[in-house]
Amino acid sequence: MPALVNYSNGDGEMYSFRANPMELAQLCSIAGDVYSPACKRARISSSFAFNSGESNRQPSIEILPDECLFEILRRIPGGKERGACASVSKKWLLVLSSIRRSEICKPVSSCGDVEMESGESLEFEDDGCLTRSLEGKKATDLRLAAIAVGTSSRGGLGKLCIRGNHNSSGYGVTDLGLSAIARGCPSLRTLSLWNVPMVSDKGLSAIAKECHSIEKLDLCHCPSITDEGLAAIAGNCPNLSSLSIESCSRIGNAGLQAVAKFCPKLQSLSIKDCPLIGDQGLSALFSSSPAISKVKLQSLNITDFSLAVIGYYGRAVTSLVLTGLQFVSEKGFWVMGSAKGLEKLASLVITSCRGTTDVGLEAIAKGCPSLKQICLRKCSFVSDNGLVSFTKSAGCLESLQLEECNRVTESGIIGAISNCGAKLKSLSLVRCMGIKDTASGISLSSLSQCSSLRSLSIKNCPGFGSLGLALVGNLCPQLQHLELSGLHGVTDAGLLPLLQSCNAGLEKVNLSDCSNLSDEVVSTLARLHGGSLEVLNLDGCRRVTDASLAAIADHCMFLSDLDVSRCAVTDAGMGYLSNAEQLNIQVLSLSGCCYLSSKVLTCLKRMGRTLVGLNLQHCNGISSRTVEVLVESLWRCDILS
C-alpha cells in the first residue's frame, strides 16, 4: 500500500505519511449514507465499490512503469506543483528525485512557440543559497530525496551537512540518497558527511558527476569511501578549496595525489587519523598546491620528510596545527624551520609531538619571521633554554601558550617575558608542573619590562606562588586581563604588588579557586581598578566575605559580571550590592553560597532592574518558594536554581 508524504511548505522537506486514498473510497462505498463534505474523488476503477475481492487493487496511476511516470513528472511546470506531486506517494517522491534539473521540460504557451510569462515559467537559479542539516535518525535517503525535490526550484541547495548515527543499523543515508541530491542540487558547494558507513564511492562519484561547484568537502568516519571516491571529486570539482578527512580508513596517498593534480585552488587541508595517508600523498599535495594556507595534521604515519616538504613548499601557509605525529623526530622540526619556506606562517600549534625540542623550536623561530602565535601542548622535551632562545628569535610573537610543558620552569617564563619586550600581548600557562616558586634568585635589574603584555592567564600550576607573581607584576605594568585559576600558593602578599603595578586598569579578573586570597585583595582591586573593572570571578575564594561586596559596591561602577560562588557572603553583603545605585550588574552567580537565606529576596528584586542572568544553584538556605517568586518577578532574567 503506497504511503502518502505530508509536504511541508516551509523548507521543502517531507516528513509524515498517510493512508492510501483507496481506503477512503472503500469507506465511502461501505457507508454511503453517512454525511461527509464534498471531496475529490479517488482515482480508482468503478468496479472497486462492488467487488470486495478486488480491494487490494492499486490505483491505475500506480500501475504505470517508472519510465512512463518519469516522463509525466518531468513535465510538471513548477516547484510548488512538483512538491505537491511528491506528497502523493513514496514512489512519486523517488521518481521525482531521480529527475535531473536539466531533464525537466520547460513549459511553453498554448501557441507552442512563445514561452510562458516569467511568473509562470520554470526558472532555476544556481546560486545555492539554501542549507540543510540532517542528524541521527533524521538522516535517511527519503529525507534527502525530499530535500532534492523541494529545494530544486528555490535557489538550489548550497550546503548539506549529514551527521549519521555511527551505531545505527537498518536505516541511514546510502548512495541512493546522495545520488538524489546530486541530480536535484547541481549548485551544491559544501558537503559534509559524518558517520555514514553505507555511503561509498558510488555516492560520492554521483556528487562529483553532477555537482561541479563543490568547494568544501568534509568526510568523517566514512569507512566505505576510498581513494576512488576522492579522486572522482578531485577530477570533477576544480574549485575545491577546503578538504577535511577524519578517520577514513580506506583513503590513502592515491586520493591526495588526485587532489594535488586537479585542485589547484585548495586552501585548507585537515587530515586526522587516516592510517593509509603518508609522506607520498602529503608531499605530492604540498608540492603541487601553492595556495594552501591552513593545515591541520593529526595522528598520521608521516615522517620527517613530510615536515621538510611543508617547510620548503608551504610558502602560503599561515596556520599550521601538528598533533600526535609520533614518527617525526627532532630533525623533522629543524628542517621544517631551516627550509625558510614558511615565511607567512602566523599561527603554530604543536601537541604531543615527541620530536619537538629546543633545537627545532629555535629553528622554527628563525625560519618563520611572521610567526605571531604559538601554542605548545604536552611538549615534554622543551626546556627553559629552548623557550628563551625561541622568544629571542621570534621577532613578531604576540601570543605564547604553554600547556603541560613540564620542563619549563619559572626562570624560563620570566626570561621569555623579558625577551619579548614590546611585542608579546598574551601569555597563557596551563598545568605546567615544572614551575616552582623560586624567583627570589632572579635579579630585576637584568630583566626588561614587557610593556605590551595585556593578558596573563595561569591555570592549575600548583608551584606558581607569590614570589613569581610579584615578579611578573613588576615586568608587566599594562595588564588588562588577569586570570589566576587554581593557584593555592598565591596569597595576598603576592597578588597585591601586581595589582598596584598595573597602570592601564584591569578590565577582566578571574581569581577562581585561589583559596588563600582574602578580602584585602578584593578591596584593593576594587579601589585601584573599580573604574575599569567589568568582569570579576571569585568562585571558590572561601575567605572572601561581605567586606569584599561592600568594596565592590562602593568602587566598581562598570562591573557587569560578578561571580561569588562558594564564597562566605551573607544576606548583608547582598544588601550592599542592592543599595549601590551606580552598579549595573547583569550576570550574578551565587552558586553554593551556603550562608544566604530567603531574606535575600528583597535584595535580588532590587537588583532585578539590570539582571539578565542569576545562578542560585546549591544555595540550600534559599527556599524553592523564594525562587518561584523571583522567577515571577524577574521575568526578563534567566534563573538557574
Side-chain angles (χ1 to χ4, degrees):
M1 178 172 60
L4 292 186
V5 183
N6 183 18
Y7 176 74
S8 172
N9 293 328
D11 58 5
E13 298 180 25
M14 280 60 86
Y15 297 97
S16 59
F17 296 91
R18 299 178 181 172
N20 194 301
M22 293 170 51
E23 297 177 358
L24 299 178
Q26 185 179 12
L27 177 62
C28 292
S29 66
I30 296 173
D33 57 337
V34 179
Y35 170 78
S36 62
C39 60
K40 185 175 180 180
R41 182 170 56 87
R43 285 181 175 266
I44 59 175
S45 60
S46 58
S47 62
F48 174 81
F50 304 98
N51 189 352
S52 60
E54 297 181 6
S55 60
N56 293 326
R57 176 183 291 183
Q58 286 185 312
S60 57
I61 192 67
E62 295 287 359
I63 301 176
L64 287 176
D66 288 350
E67 293 80 4
C68 295
L69 197 57
F70 179 92
E71 290 297 327
I72 295 173
L73 294 179
R74 80 186 188 95
R75 288 169 169 79
I76 301 298
K80 185 176 181 180
E81 292 80 4
R82 287 166 55 78
C85 290
S87 303
V88 172
S89 70
K90 179 179 178 180
K91 179 179 179 180
W92 284 36
L93 171 61
L94 295 179
V95 172
L96 279 166
S97 68
S98 69
I99 302 173
R100 294 180 175 85
R101 289 173 63 175
S102 60
E103 295 173 333
I104 299 176
C105 294
K106 193 172 185 180
V108 295
S109 67
S110 58
C111 296
D113 58 350
V114 181
E115 291 188 359
M116 298 177 64
E117 297 295 328
S118 60
E120 300 175 351
S121 63
L122 189 62
E123 296 288 343
F124 290 122
E125 299 179 5
D126 292 327
D127 55 354
C129 60
L130 300 177
T131 297
R132 291 292 180 269
S133 179
L134 300 179
E135 298 185 10
K137 293 183 178 180
K138 294 183 179 180
T140 62
D141 287 343
L142 193 61
R143 285 181 180 267
L144 288 181
I147 289 173
V149 174
T151 62
S152 61
S153 62
R154 293 186 287 146
L157 190 65
K159 181 178 181 180
L160 176 63
C161 299
I162 301 175
R163 303 288 189 267
N165 189 342
H166 190 67
N167 298 320
S168 65
S169 59
Y171 63 87
V173 173
T174 69
D175 295 333
L176 182 64
L178 218 55
S179 298
I181 289 294
R183 289 186 292 266
C185 308
S187 57
L188 189 68
R189 294 197 299 266
T190 299
L191 177 62
S192 179
L193 302 175
W194 285 24
N195 294 327
V196 283
M198 291 182 286
V199 171
S200 68
D201 294 335
K202 183 179 179 181
L204 206 58
S205 296
I207 292 289
K209 182 178 179 181
E210 305 289 345
C211 307
H212 303 301
S213 300
I214 291 290
E215 297 175 358
K216 297 181 180 180
L217 179 63
D218 181 6
L219 304 176
C220 179
H221 289 285
C222 300
S224 299
I225 295 178
T226 70
D227 290 330
E228 182 181 347
L230 184 57
I233 290 288
N236 292 276
C237 305
N239 294 323
L240 187 67
S241 61
S242 176
L243 176 62
S244 178
I245 308 173
E246 178 179 345
S247 300
C248 295
S249 57
R250 300 179 65 187
I251 294 180
N253 293 324
L256 291 190
Q257 288 170 343
V259 174
K261 183 177 180 180
F262 298 109
C263 302
K265 298 181 180 180
L266 189 67
Q267 298 178 4
S268 177
L269 176 67
S270 176
I271 306 177
K272 176 182 178 181
D273 195 20
C274 295
L276 297 184
I277 292 179
D279 294 332
Q280 188 177 2
L282 284 178
S283 60
L285 193 58
F286 278 96
S287 60
S288 304
S289 306
I292 296 181
S293 59
K294 295 182 179 179
V295 181
K296 182 178 180 181
L297 305 176
Q298 180 173 349
S299 302
L300 300 179
N301 298 323
I302 60 176
T303 66
D304 298 341
F305 182 75
S306 289
L307 262 63
V309 172
I310 293 173
Y312 186 80
Y313 289 103
R315 301 188 182 278
V317 175
T318 59
S319 176
L320 179 60
V321 179
L322 305 174
T323 303
L325 305 181
Q326 301 302 319
F327 300 104
V328 177
S329 67
E330 178 184 75
K331 181 180 179 181
F333 286 96
W334 180 85
V335 174
M336 184 178 73
S338 302
K340 306 292 184 181
L342 297 174
E343 298 175 351
K344 296 183 179 180
L345 184 64
S347 175
L348 175 63
V349 178
I350 303 176
T351 304
S352 300
C353 293
R354 293 181 293 181
T356 309
T357 63
D358 296 344
V359 175
L361 202 59
E362 185 176 2
I364 290 173
K366 293 179 179 179
C368 306
S370 302
L371 190 62
K372 294 183 178 180
Q373 301 176 357
I374 186 169
C375 175
L376 303 176
R377 297 192 182 102
K378 299 182 179 181
C379 295
S380 55
F381 294 105
V382 174
S383 67
D384 292 343
N385 293 333
L387 183 61
V388 172
S389 299
F390 174 83
T391 53
K392 186 180 295 184
S393 301
C396 297
L397 190 65
E398 296 180 356
S399 175
L400 174 61
Q401 181 177 346
L402 303 178
E403 183 174 338
E404 295 188 43
C405 296
N406 296 327
R407 290 198 179 188
V408 175
T409 69
E410 200 168 72
S411 176
I413 299 299
I414 299 299
I417 294 175
S418 179
N419 282 339
C420 289
K423 302 169 296 182
L424 191 65
K425 296 180 180 179
S426 175
L427 174 63
S428 176
L429 307 174
V430 181
R431 293 189 295 276
C432 292
M433 302 302 175
I435 296 178
K436 306 297 181 183
D437 203 23
T438 57
S440 57
I442 301 176
S443 173
L444 280 174
S445 59
S446 61
L447 301 175
S448 301
Q449 280 193 340
C450 185
S451 58
S452 60
L453 193 67
R454 297 291 184 270
S455 175
L456 175 63
S457 176
I458 306 175
K459 301 179 184 178
N460 300 317
C461 298
F464 201 94
S466 296
L467 294 176
L469 195 60
L471 186 55
V472 170
N474 289 325
L475 293 176
C476 310
Q478 301 298 320
L479 284 178
Q480 294 177 337
H481 300 167
L482 177 64
E483 181 174 10
L484 306 176
S485 179
L487 304 185
H488 301 289
V490 173
T491 63
D492 294 350
L495 187 54
L496 287 174
L498 187 147
L499 298 178
Q500 294 166 355
S501 63
C502 290
N503 302 323
L506 290 170
E507 298 175 0
K508 297 180 180 180
V509 177
N510 183 354
L511 304 176
S512 58
D513 289 313
C514 292
S515 56
N516 286 317
L517 297 181
S518 69
D519 292 328
E520 184 180 0
V521 161
V522 181
S523 299
T524 303
L525 174 64
R527 177 171 49 83
L528 295 178
H529 303 280
S532 59
L533 193 62
E534 299 175 2
V535 178
L536 177 59
N537 187 344
L538 301 172
D539 182 10
C541 298
R542 300 188 179 278
R543 298 178 62 187
V544 169
T545 67
D546 293 340
S548 294
L549 297 186
I552 291 172
D554 290 339
H555 301 288
C556 300
M557 61 188 71
F558 297 111
L559 189 67
S560 62
D561 191 329
L562 176 62
D563 189 342
V564 288
S565 300
R566 299 182 294 157
C567 293
V569 297
T570 68
D571 300 338
M574 295 304 301
Y576 296 138
L577 293 181
S578 63
N579 291 328
E581 296 183 358
Q582 76 278 8
L583 273 183
N584 292 291
I585 296 178
Q586 297 179 4
V587 179
L588 177 63
S589 181
L590 304 173
S591 175
C593 293
C594 57
Y595 297 112
L596 293 178
S597 69
S598 296
K599 296 179 181 179
V600 79
L601 175 63
T602 304
C603 301
L604 294 177
K605 279 186 175 181
R606 194 178 298 124
M607 298 177 68
R609 59 185 176 83
T610 60
L611 279 179
V612 296
L614 176 62
N615 187 351
L616 297 176
Q617 292 180 314
H618 311 296
C619 293
N620 298 327
I622 300 178
S623 66
S624 57
R625 176 56 186 163
T626 301
V627 175
E628 292 175 0
V629 173
L630 280 174
V631 171
E632 295 176 359
S633 303
L634 309 182
W635 55 270
R636 63 189 296 267
C637 179
D638 291 330
I639 300 177
L640 295 177
S641 62

